[in-house]
Every structure is written in structure tokens, then in C-alpha cells.
């Protein structure tokens, strides 16, 4: 992997996360029913961020930043190619956890360990604050859910009410940092 710089984002850089290339081919998605993850065939050829997503989520990300959230970006030269965001506020139903609010890697940079590197860095910085783990509301694509489970996430039988209301089709997971030791 060429020289990649990881660094904290400034508030003025928060909106640059939408420059991350979102292109993805999806063939399978998970659904969580009766306490079991079930894989279903579903095809998407995603070319960009869903319509309206930047407008909906930019104020949420800025609010997260203003409340002390962790924003790490990965840069190849001047280009932001990946980012991770961890909200500093306790998750409502899981107050000892913090929400992993955003983790995306540009299409051409996937498969090179960058997401794992960002995830581990965010985990180390969050663990240092006496937090028990991450609450993850993951898009239901097989690749994404498998990534979070490989990192240590486990599906939640009782998702956080507020986060579930925001993203009912997501797969909600908890990653206890104690399990990572």
C-alpha cells in the first residue's frame, strides 16, 4: 500500500467524507430475524452515495464533531480516501458503548487493510476513554456485516431504540473491547 497518512479531521473537513467513492456491487444482504442472521440474495450496483444521504447525515456528523466525536481520515496525498467516525456520547440503551457512526473506504482502496487499520486505531483511541465497546449500525450488505463480525462485532438481539428507529434495515452489532483482549 502506498504511503497513507491517518490523521484527525478538522471540523471544516467533515463534509469531505462525501468525496469518498461509494461504488459497490452487492450480491447478498443479511436480515436479522428470530435472533439469527439470515443471508438473502439481493443485487445492487451502487454508483454513489444514496440520494439525499449527504444532506441528511452532514448535520448529524457535525453535531457528533461538536460533541467531541472522533474523526479520523486516511489520505493518499491530499485526497481523503477513507474515514471513521466514533460518537463520543453514550448510546442510549448501551451507555458504556459508543456508536461507530461512519466507516467508509473509497472503492479503489478496498481490500488493502485500510478499513481494519482505521477500525483498530479508532478502537484504541476509544478504549483509552474507559469505553466498553462499539455499537455498530451496519448496512446489511454481506461484505460490510462480515467485516464488522471479523473485527469482533456480534448481532444485538435488542437494538438501541433510537438507532434502530433511524436505521431499521441495518444490522445492529455490539463489539465488546474485552473480547478483543
Amino acid at each position: 500500500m502506498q504511503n497513507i497518512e491517518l490523521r484527525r479531521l478538522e471540523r471544516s473537513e467533515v463534509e469531505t467524507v462525501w468525496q469518498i467513492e461509494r461504488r459497490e456491487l452487492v450480491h447478498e444482504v443479511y436480515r436479522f430475524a428470530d435472533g439469527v442472521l439470515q443471508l438473502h440474495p439481493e443485487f445492487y450496483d451502487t454508483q454513489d452515495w444514496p440520494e439525499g444521504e449527504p444532506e441528511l447525515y452532514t448535520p448529524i456528523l457535525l453535531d457528533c464533531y461538536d460533541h467531541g466525536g472522533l474523526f479520523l481520515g486516511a489520505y493518499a496525498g491530499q485526497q481523503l480516501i477513507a474515514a471513521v467516525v466514533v460518537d463520543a456520547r453514550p448510546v442510549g440503551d448501551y451507555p458504556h458503548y459508543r456508536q461507530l457512526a461512519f466507516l467508509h473506504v473509497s472503492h479503489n482502496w478496498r481490500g488493502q487493510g485500510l478499513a481494519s487499520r482505521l477500525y483498530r486505531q479508532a478502537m484504541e483511541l476509544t478504549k483509552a476513554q474507559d469505553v466498553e465497546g462499539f455499537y455498530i449500525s451496519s448496512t446489511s450488505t454481506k461484505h460490510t456485516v462480515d467485516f464488522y463480525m471479523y473485527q469482533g462485532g456480534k448481532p444485538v438481539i435488542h437494538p438501541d431504540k433510537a438507532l434502530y428507529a433511524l436505521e431499521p434495515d441495518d444490522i445492529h452489532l455490539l463489539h465488546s473491547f474485552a473480547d478483543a483482549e
Side-chain angles (χ1 to χ4, degrees):
M1 182 183 322
Q2 83 179 51
N3 191 22
I4 303 298
E5 176 193 9
L6 295 187
R7 68 168 175 81
R8 290 181 186 255
L9 298 177
E10 300 292 329
R11 189 182 197 280
S12 62
E13 297 174 302
V14 168
E15 289 187 57
T16 65
V17 301
W18 306 115
Q19 295 172 7
I20 294 170
E21 187 186 6
R22 181 70 177 84
R23 186 166 35 112
E24 181 178 18
L25 277 176
V26 174
H27 297 279
E28 296 174 295
V29 298
Y30 282 108
R31 293 196 185 93
F32 191 68
D34 301 321
V36 177
L37 272 180
Q38 301 170 351
L39 201 54
H40 297 271
E42 214 166 290
F43 180 78
Y44 299 102
D45 184 359
T46 303
Q47 294 298 313
D48 204 352
W49 294 97
E51 187 174 328
E53 190 157 317
E55 295 79 12
L56 175 65
Y57 283 99
T58 295
I60 293 169
L61 290 173
L62 289 170
D63 184 56
C64 175
Y65 191 95
D66 292 342
H67 283 90
L70 172 67
F71 283 69
L72 291 175
Y75 287 85
Q78 299 297 312
Q79 180 67 38
L80 179 67
I81 58 170
V84 63
V85 175
V86 180
D87 198 329
R89 295 168 287 190
V91 173
D93 295 337
Y94 296 90
H96 300 291
Y97 285 75
R98 300 299 176 266
Q99 183 188 14
L100 183 77
F102 187 97
L103 175 59
H104 288 284
V105 176
S106 284
H107 178 78
N108 292 335
W109 290 90
R110 294 182 192 144
Q112 299 180 42
L114 191 51
S116 293
R117 191 171 155 200
L118 280 167
Y119 189 95
R120 283 191 306 274
Q121 181 74 27
M123 185 174 75
E124 291 306 314
L125 292 168
T126 304
K127 272 171 64 173
Q129 300 170 359
D130 285 335
V131 171
E132 289 183 18
F134 284 145
Y135 185 100
I136 304 160
S137 178
S138 170
T139 182
S140 62
T141 64
K142 179 183 185 320
H143 184 267
T144 304
V145 173
D146 287 353
F147 168 81
Y148 287 127
M149 291 196 308
Y150 180 79
Q151 299 302 319
K154 294 181 174 75
V156 179
I157 292 180
H158 302 289
D160 175 76
K161 291 175 205 69
L163 293 175
Y164 183 79
L166 187 62
E167 297 286 357
D169 294 329
D170 277 8
I171 302 300
H172 295 255
L173 306 113
L174 287 178
H175 177 187
S176 169
F177 296 157
D179 293 344
E181 296 175 355

